[in-house]
């Protein structure tokens, strides 16, 4: 893409901007591809966190991750 080129995109709240195709079918394929890429990225991040924090409960909350240590409950709060 060069400076000044036009770019058609569709905004999806969870995915951001996704390239729009010439037809609705191409656009839907681009959206499905973007969803698959996001899911793969999240799975890789979860595996990395599971290795970094073994034995902890890991939950995805919005755009972030909540890591709870099962051995140390939050009773003191």
């Amino acid at each position: 893409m060069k400076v000044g080129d036009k770019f058609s995109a569709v905004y999806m709240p969870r995915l951001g901007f996704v390239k729009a195709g010439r037809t609705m079918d191409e656009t839907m394929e681009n959206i499905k591809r973007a969803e698959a890429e996001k899911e793969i990225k999240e799975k890789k991040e979860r595996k990395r966190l599971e290795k970094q924090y073994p034995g902890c409960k890991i939950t995805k909350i919005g755009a972030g991750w909540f890591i709870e240590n099962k051995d140390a409950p939050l009773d003191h709060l």
Side-chain angles (χ1 to χ4, degrees), residues 35-64:
E35 287 175 341
E37 290 171 359
K38 182 175 177 93
E39 186 175 333
I40 289 169
K41 183 180 174 185
E42 287 178 357
K43 284 182 180 180
K44 286 181 181 179
E45 181 70 16
R46 177 179 286 277
K47 283 185 179 182
R48 186 186 68 77
L49 289 171
E50 287 173 349
K51 286 181 183 177
Q52 188 174 355
Y53 301 101
C56 293
K57 180 180 176 185
I58 300 172
T59 308
K60 176 123 173 98
I61 300 176

Side-chain angles (χ1 to χ4, degrees), residues 3-37:
V3 175
D5 286 351
K6 292 186 178 181
F7 178 73
S8 297
V10 176
Y11 180 75
M12 301 293 291
R14 287 191 68 231
L15 303 173
F17 288 97
V18 178
K19 184 178 179 182
R22 293 181 184 204
T23 65
M24 183 60 85
D25 292 333
E26 288 179 15
T27 302
M28 291 305 297
E29 286 298 319
N30 291 343
I31 291 171
K32 289 178 184 176
R33 187 176 304 116
E35 287 175 341
E37 290 171 359

